[in-house]
Amino acid sequence: MSEKPGSQQPPDGNVEVAARELIRLVESHLPQRCYPSEGRWRMICAAIVVRMADTLESILALMKAGLAVDGLTLIRALYEATVKFMWLAIDPEANLSAWLKDADAAARKHHDETLDYGMELLTPEQRAAVQNAKSLPPLTELAAAVDKHWEGAMLGFHEPETGEQKLLTMRGLYTMIYRTTSLTTHLQPDSLEPYIVDHTATPRVVQRSPRGEPSLFWTVAVSLYSHALIVCNDQLNWPNRDRVRAINDAMYAES
């Protein structure tokens, strides 16, 4: 194993093994039975973690198929889910209310947009109820709050020093992951590069199967989910955080 997990790029085979072990670790705690007397957070916390397991499973399928461009879009979604989940866990009661109001604000916007098409998604009473609902702060602010609260508790995520060290934070990963993967999510011109074989050739050749991308982002998917599971342990006392760390670190072992 490398002296410092994360100092070298693990092969995709190691990434798959680690991801599947994390998924199995979560599945070993299912089904979760949540009762009204326990409050809403326990149910929502468990459901988010299980939902993220499905996203990780889909990422693995794309990795095995060699569809790195589409994989980046899902890793972007996994990053956003991780940040929001970790932010919710900072203060579940207060942040859950803000999260639900954000959903109300989105529903209001959706309703208002459909009026131009002769449809009404909400009744007048429902529309009035969400009139003053506010959206969540930008994802960058949520990520910064996550870094501040969970400092020292995560897998190498800590208060940034300078330069490249800033990337080892959730806020840093916004720039590294969320901004980078927006190229593929929003069909930016650069997202077409893998499909063009040679810009200097005549004629230029476009192919369906893109050239292999570096597996850096596949690795990040495992680390993101590992962070979410450590927070789940903090909130629900499962899964075992030492086991999560061991799975994440073993990904960097030499094959």
Side-chain angles (χ1 to χ4, degrees):
M1 181 177 296
S2 64
E3 190 171 306
K4 181 179 180 183
S7 61
Q8 63 182 18
Q9 181 61 39
D12 288 352
N14 287 22
V15 174
E16 181 179 6
V17 168
R20 296 208 179 282
E21 287 191 16
L22 291 178
I23 293 170
R24 283 195 294 269
L25 189 59
V26 169
E27 289 176 338
S28 70
H29 293 276
L30 301 178
Q32 286 285 306
R33 293 175 174 82
C34 308
Y35 300 93
S37 61
E38 297 173 310
R40 59 186 178 178
W41 171 236
R42 185 174 180 276
M43 178 187 67
I44 291 174
C45 180
I48 291 175
V49 166
V50 175
R51 171 70 183 88
M52 292 172 71
D54 284 350
T55 302
L56 185 59
E57 187 81 55
S58 298
I59 289 171
L60 286 178
L62 292 173
M63 182 180 75
K64 289 179 72 66
L67 298 176
V69 175
D70 288 330
L72 292 176
T73 297
L74 273 187
I75 290 171
R76 188 178 198 261
L78 185 65
Y79 168 79
E80 182 171 352
T82 301
V83 170
K84 287 186 176 180
F85 173 61
M86 293 175 68
W87 174 78
L88 285 168
I90 294 173
D91 185 351
E93 198 55 40
N95 290 346
L96 268 180
S97 295
W99 182 60
L100 294 172
K101 288 177 182 176
D102 177 78
D104 287 340
R108 180 187 65 227
K109 181 178 180 181
H110 191 189
H111 169 83
D112 291 351
E113 288 178 348
T114 60
L115 293 178
D116 289 340
Y117 301 94
M119 297 183 290
E120 293 188 18
L121 300 181
L122 303 176
T123 66
E125 293 76 17
Q126 290 172 328
R127 176 62 179 80
V130 299
Q131 173 62 35
N132 297 318
K134 295 182 179 180
S135 299
L136 286 175
L139 194 59
T140 50
E141 292 185 22
L142 302 186
V146 164
D147 288 330
K148 182 177 180 179
H149 180 82
W150 297 106
E151 177 189 356
M154 312 312 296
L155 296 165
F157 284 33
H158 49 74
E159 191 66 24
E161 298 172 6
T162 58
E164 292 184 0
Q165 287 296 321
K166 292 183 179 180
L167 291 177
L168 299 178
T169 62
M170 282 296 172
R171 177 58 185 88
L173 287 179
Y174 178 90
T175 299
M176 177 182 173
I177 296 176
Y178 203 75
R179 285 296 189 194
T180 300
T181 55
S182 68
L183 298 178
T184 58
T185 303
H186 302 301
L187 195 63
Q188 297 279 343
D190 286 349
S191 69
L192 301 179
E193 287 296 325
Y195 296 88
I196 302 173
V197 176
D198 188 349
H199 281 281
T200 64
T202 303
R204 295 176 180 173
V205 177
V206 175
Q207 62 181 10
R208 182 175 176 229
S209 298
R211 298 185 300 274
E213 293 285 334
S215 57
L216 167 65
F217 290 105
W218 303 130
T219 307
V220 171
V222 171
S223 294
L224 286 172
Y225 196 45
S226 295
H227 283 81
L229 293 183
I230 289 175
V231 172
C232 183
N233 171 274
D234 180 84
Q235 300 294 301
L236 303 181
N237 202 33
W238 66 267
N240 182 281
R241 70 169 59 211
D242 291 335
R243 181 61 185 144
V244 171
R245 288 178 181 272
I247 291 171
N248 181 83
D249 290 354
M251 180 171 59
Y252 298 94
E254 295 182 3
S255 301

